[in-house]
C-alpha cells in the first residue's frame, strides 16, 4: 500500500503524553529559575527550577515546546539554552543544553528538529543541535540590523529565517549569511516573529508601538489587532487552531483570531508575575501554506487554500475556486514537491495536455475524485481527518478540474502541509 494511504488509514495512539496537553501555553517572564504553563480554565501552573545556569543574570528570554519530546520545553536567555522536562503538575527536571550563546531572544524549530534562534548578544542568527548542544552560525559578519537584533523565526515554507530589529523586519535566505530588508517604519522594536499557518505571511509584535501586525508577500503592513489593545506585546506564537497567542504588559496573555480582531484575555502568568517575554503553545506548529503557480479555471485562477486546524484528529479542507459548475475534480496528495518519478517539480504540463501555463506542483502519489458545486463560479472542496500517524509528517496537495479551458484541465497551486 502507498505510504500516504498507510498514513491516512493508521490509528496509532496520540503522540502527546499526558503531562503536557496540546494547547498548553508555556510563558517566560524575565526569571532566573521559573516559568509558567497556562492550561484550560485557564489555570496557571508554576514550574521552578534550581536556576537556568546561564551567564551574568541568566534571565529567561524565550521558551519553545519541543515536538520531539512533547513533555519538554526549551528555555533560553542570557548565556543559556536548557531543557525543562515536565514530570507532573508543578514538577520539573531541568538540565542545561548549552552555555555557548549570547542572549537568546527567540527560538523556533526547523524541519530537522534543530533550534534556530536570534542571538541578541552576538547579533547573529544561530542554530542549536538540541541533542549534542553544538551551536553553528547561520549569519556571519556585518548585518543590516546592526546591533538591534531582537527576534527571529524560521520560515517553514522557504527555509529562510525572518528577523526583527528596531522598526524593521529582515530575511536571511536559506544558505545565505547576510540578511536583507523586508519592511521598515514599524515604529518600534520587533519583539517576536511568527507565520500565518494558512497564508504563510509574516506576523510580528512591535513592542514600543503596541502593535500586532501582518506583512503581506508584497510588503504591505496591516494591523491584526487594534493598536494599543495589547499592552507591550513582547511574545508571539500560533496555537493549534491557527489563532495568534501573544503577551506582554505585566504578564497578560491574549488570543487574537487569525483573521484579525480584538484580543481575548486568557490569563496572567504568575510564575513569576512579570512582563511576558516568550511563549510557546504545545502541540501547535501545523500549517497548510500555498506555494507554486495556478492556471486559469473558467472564471479565473484556480486558487487553492486550506483550512485547519492542522493537527492530529482535526478535519482539514482543501478548496479551489473559479471552476465550472458540476465538473469532475481531483485531489492530488503527494509526499514530494521537488521530484516525481525523476521529473523535477514544478513540471510544465502544457506540452502534455495542451493546457495554458499549468504546472504539476506535487508528486502524484494518491488521487481522490469529487465534483464542483452547482453554482457558478463553483468551488471544489475535499475534506479529510488527520490521523495520529500523520504526526511529524509533511505532505502536499493540489487540485485539478475538468472544465472548458485549454487542454480541458485547470490545475491549482500547491499546498504544503505539516502536522506537528
Amino acid at each position: 500500500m502507498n505510504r500516504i494511504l498507510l498514513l491516512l488509514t493508521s490509528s496509532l495512539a496520540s503522540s502527546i503524553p499526558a503531562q503536557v496537553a496540546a494547547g498548553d501555553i508555556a510563558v517566560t517572564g524575565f526569571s532566573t529559575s521559573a516559568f509558567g504553563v497556562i492550561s484550560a480554565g485557564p489555570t496557571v501552573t508554576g514550574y521552578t527550577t534550581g536556576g537556568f545556569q546561564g551567564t551574568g543574570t541568566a534571565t529567561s528570554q524565550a521558551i519553545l515546546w519541543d515536538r520531539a519530546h512533547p513533555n519538554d520545553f526549551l528555555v533560553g536567555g542570557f548565556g543559556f539554552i536548557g531543557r525543562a522536562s515536565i514530570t507532573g503538575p508543578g514538577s520539573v527536571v531541568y538540565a542545561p543544553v548549552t552555555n555557548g550563546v549570547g542572549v537568546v531572544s527567540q527560538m523556533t524549530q526547523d524541519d530537522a528538529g534543530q533550534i534556530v534562534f536570534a542571538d541578541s548578544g552576538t547579533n547573529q542568527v544561530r542554530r542549536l543541535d538540541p541533542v549534542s548542544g553544538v551551536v553553528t552560525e547561520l549569519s556571519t559578519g556585518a548585518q543590516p540590523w546592526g546591533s538591534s537584533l531582537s527576534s527571529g523565526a524560521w520560515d517553514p515554507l522557504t527555509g529562510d529565517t525572518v528577523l526583527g530589529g528596531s522598526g524593521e523586519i529582515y530575511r536571511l535566505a536559506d544558505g545565505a549569511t547576510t540578511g536583507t530588508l523586508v519592511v521598515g517604519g514599524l515604529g518600534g522594536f520587533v519583539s517576536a516573529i511568527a507565520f500565518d499557518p494558512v497564508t504563510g505571511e509574516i506576523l510580528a509584535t512591535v513592542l514600543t508601538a503596541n502593535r500586532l501586525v501582518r506583512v503581506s508577500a508584497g510588503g504591505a503592513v496591516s494591523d491584526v489587532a487594534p493598536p494599543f489593545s495589547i499592552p507591550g506585546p513582547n511574545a508571539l506564537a500560533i496555537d493549534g487552531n491557527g489563532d495568534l497567542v501573544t503577551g506582554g504588559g505585566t504578564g497578560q496573555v491574549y488570543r487574537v483570531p487569525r483573521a484579525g480582531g480584538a484580543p481575548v484575555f486568557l490569563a496572567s502568568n504568575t510564575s513569576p508575575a512579570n512582563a511576558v517575554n516568550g511563549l510557546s503553545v504545545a502541540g501547535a506548529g501545523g500549517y497548510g501554506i500555498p506555494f507554486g503557480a495556478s492556471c486559469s479555471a473558467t472564471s479565473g485562477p484556480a486558487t487553492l487554500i486550506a483550512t485547519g486546524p492542522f493537527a492530529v484528529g482535526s478535519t482539514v479542507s482543501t478548496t479551489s475556486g473559479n471552476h465550472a459548475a458540476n465538473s469532475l475534480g481531483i485531489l492530488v496528495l503527494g509526499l514530494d514537491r521537488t521530484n516525481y518519478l525523476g521529473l523535477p517539480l514544478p513540471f510544465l504540463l502544457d506540452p502534455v495536455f495542451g493546457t495554458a501555463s499549468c504546472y504539476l506542483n506535487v508528486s502524484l502519489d494518491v488521487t481522490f475524485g469529487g465534483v464542483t458545486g452547482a453554482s457558478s463560479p463553483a468551488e471544489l472542496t475535499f475534506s479529510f481527518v488527520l490521523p495520529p500517524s500523520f504526526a511529524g509528517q509533511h505532505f502536499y496537495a493540489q487540485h485539478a478540474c475538468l472544465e472548458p479551458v485549454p487542454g480541458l484541465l485547470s490545475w491549482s497551486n500547491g499546498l504544503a502541509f505539516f502536522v506537528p
Side-chain angles (χ1 to χ4, degrees), residues 102-126:
V103 180
V104 179
S105 55
Q106 189 178 2
M107 300 182 287
T108 52
Q109 204 164 18
D110 68 15
D111 276 347
Q114 303 290 288
I115 309 304
V116 177
F117 63 98
D119 191 327
S120 297
T122 64
N123 286 292
Q124 300 290 354
V125 187
R126 311 177 79 185

Side-chain angles (χ1 to χ4, degrees), residues 131-204:
V131 176
S132 68
V134 172
V135 176
T136 57
E137 308 299 325
L138 296 184
S139 68
T140 57
Q143 299 295 332
W145 51 78
S147 60
S148 68
L149 183 63
S150 53
S151 58
W154 184 78
D155 185 336
L157 188 61
T158 64
D160 302 343
T161 307
V162 176
L163 294 312
S166 180
E168 297 176 324
I169 293 175
Y170 306 86
R171 182 177 294 274
L172 179 70
D174 184 23
T177 57
T178 304
T180 58
L181 180 68
V182 174
V183 67
L186 297 177
F189 271 93
V190 177
S191 51
I193 298 285
F195 301 96
D196 188 307
V198 174
T199 66
E201 293 172 314
I202 298 169
L203 303 166

Side-chain angles (χ1 to χ4, degrees), residues 69-130:
H69 302 276
N71 284 324
D72 294 5
F73 293 99
L74 296 167
V75 186
F78 282 78
F80 73 92
I81 295 176
R83 180 177 298 278
S85 301
I86 307 297
T87 57
S91 179
V92 62
V93 174
Y94 177 82
V97 176
T98 182
N99 294 116
V101 296
V103 180
V104 179
S105 55
Q106 189 178 2
M107 300 182 287
T108 52
Q109 204 164 18
D110 68 15
D111 276 347
Q114 303 290 288
I115 309 304
V116 177
F117 63 98
D119 191 327
S120 297
T122 64
N123 286 292
Q124 300 290 354
V125 187
R126 311 177 79 185
R127 178 188 285 128
L128 167 72
D129 183 327

